[in-house]
Amino acid sequence: MRLTGWPAAGVKGGHLTGPGVARLILRTIAASSTLTGICFALAAGMIYSLNDMSIKFLSSGYPLHQIVATRSVIALVIVLLSMRLITGGWHHLRTSRFRFHALRVGVVFISNITYFLGLAALPLADAVATAYIGPVFITLLSIFFLGEKVGPHRWAAVVAGLIGTLVMVRPGAGTLQVAALLVVFSAFTYAVSQMMVRQMRGTESTFTMGFYMQAGFLLSSLTTGALIGHGQFNVFEDGSLTFLFRPWVWPTPSDLPFFIVMGLAIGAASLMMAQAYRTLEAAVAAPFEYIAIPMAVFWGLTVFGTLPDLTSFAGMALIIGSGLYTIWRETVKKKS
């Protein structure tokens, strides 16, 4: 690519080199519009579904801490390579808010553990749908902790998504069990973590947050594995508890692709989602994560042979419709 008058690193003889292209992309992202942030949120939601599918698949044969540790190693490599390629150095590893990063890691680790324990016991689509009460928590927390203004149109979109989630979960039909409550708690702690992202965006880059998150996950999962990974505490019949206390197992060749996909997915999606919440108001970004619900249906059918009924599809229509309505409202606001 030929450029003139380009002062940045990555340009040699007026030609933009590969790292220069990456840095140009980063600058474009840094000045992103609402639409760009929405695209990041949508892409992250779709990629996260690969992580959920892989963990659901592996939960019957491997312990949770082993899965998280393996995923974190791969994701950490993705974050470091992306940092080196796009920024040309390691300066994003420096931070003055280490304690805040550690606190965020703890919150997200709890969110992930409770979600994955519920995911192991629930059908994939049910678990994902239950988790999407999270945008309601995000909207409420964004008002009290960030001082964001949430108008009636955004509230309508969030409520529609919540109604769609309740239609899918159908608590009156006996679906609301302990595993579902774990997922709801996971959604709340996830919302708290997104509030922390919004508070850190002024001083911390996407790469900084991504690195410390994956490094914290790796340290936490290895510590957990050292304490309970030998399997002597695995005396439970409950599927979720067995998933937590099962001993470490050497992966079979047929399962290795799922570990790799899981690590690649979480590495890429975590960077995208962090960038989405850095560039958008929390109440705007949250509804677009609903894309993970139809993706969960797809993976449930193709990998696990399960398909939601018509009532569940009606709930999905409400959830997806709420996200589309938010897109339309943001477009109208920008034009006006």
Side-chain angles (χ1 to χ4, degrees), residues 59 62-64 113-122 177-180 182-183 234 236-246:
S59 64
Y62 301 90
L64 176 57
I113 293 297
T114 51
Y115 176 66
F116 296 148
L117 291 176
L119 181 64
L122 293 172
Q177 50 188 297
V178 174
L182 286 173
V183 176
N234 186 28
F236 304 96
E237 296 183 0
D238 180 79
S240 295
L241 293 177
T242 298
F243 185 31
L244 181 61
F245 290 102
R246 185 182 292 125

Side-chain angles (χ1 to χ4, degrees), residues 56-275:
K56 176 71 173 176
F57 181 86
L58 296 170
S59 64
S60 61
Y62 301 90
L64 176 57
H65 39 84
Q66 179 184 0
I67 292 175
V68 173
T70 306
R71 185 188 73 167
S72 299
V73 169
I74 300 174
L76 195 57
V77 172
I78 296 297
V79 171
L80 290 173
L81 287 177
S82 300
M83 184 190 305
R84 178 64 179 177
L85 174 65
I86 296 177
T87 69
W90 309 107
H91 55 280
H92 286 279
L93 297 180
R94 296 192 297 268
T95 181
S96 60
R97 307 185 69 178
F98 182 79
R99 291 183 179 179
F100 204 82
H101 281 290
L103 178 60
R104 178 171 173 255
V105 167
V107 172
V108 179
F109 187 74
I110 292 172
S111 178
N112 275 245
I113 293 297
T114 51
Y115 176 66
F116 296 148
L117 291 176
L119 181 64
L122 293 172
L124 181 59
D126 289 351
V128 173
T130 305
Y132 277 89
I133 195 175
V136 175
F137 293 138
I138 289 175
T139 301
L140 292 172
L141 292 175
S142 69
I143 295 172
F144 292 107
F145 291 97
L146 302 179
E148 295 182 359
K149 295 181 179 180
V150 180
H153 293 282
R154 288 189 194 171
W155 274 117
V158 170
V159 170
L162 175 60
I163 293 173
T165 302
L166 292 176
V167 168
M168 290 189 65
V169 174
R170 284 166 285 184
T175 306
L176 193 60
Q177 50 188 297
V178 174
L181 292 176
L182 286 173
V183 176
V184 171
F185 180 76
S186 170
F188 175 76
T189 49
Y190 171 77
V192 172
S193 74
Q194 296 301 348
M195 296 302 100
M196 298 177 76
V197 169
R198 294 284 290 175
Q199 291 179 335
M200 297 170 70
R201 64 177 180 166
T203 60
E204 308 301 290
S205 72
T206 299
F207 291 112
T208 308
M209 290 187 282
F211 170 78
Y212 283 103
M213 179 58 60
Q214 298 306 326
F217 269 21
L218 180 59
L219 178 62
S220 300
S221 57
L222 289 177
T223 302
T224 303
L227 294 174
I228 64 175
H230 39 70
Q232 73 178 41
F233 300 113
N234 186 28
V235 294
F236 304 96
E237 296 183 0
D238 180 79
S240 295
L241 293 177
T242 298
F243 185 31
L244 181 61
F245 290 102
R246 185 182 292 125
W248 281 57
V249 181
W250 189 258
T252 63
S254 60
D255 289 338
L256 283 177
F258 288 92
F259 279 99
I260 295 172
V261 166
M262 177 180 60
L264 294 175
I266 200 65
S270 61
L271 292 176
M272 291 181 180
M273 193 61 75
Q275 183 67 17

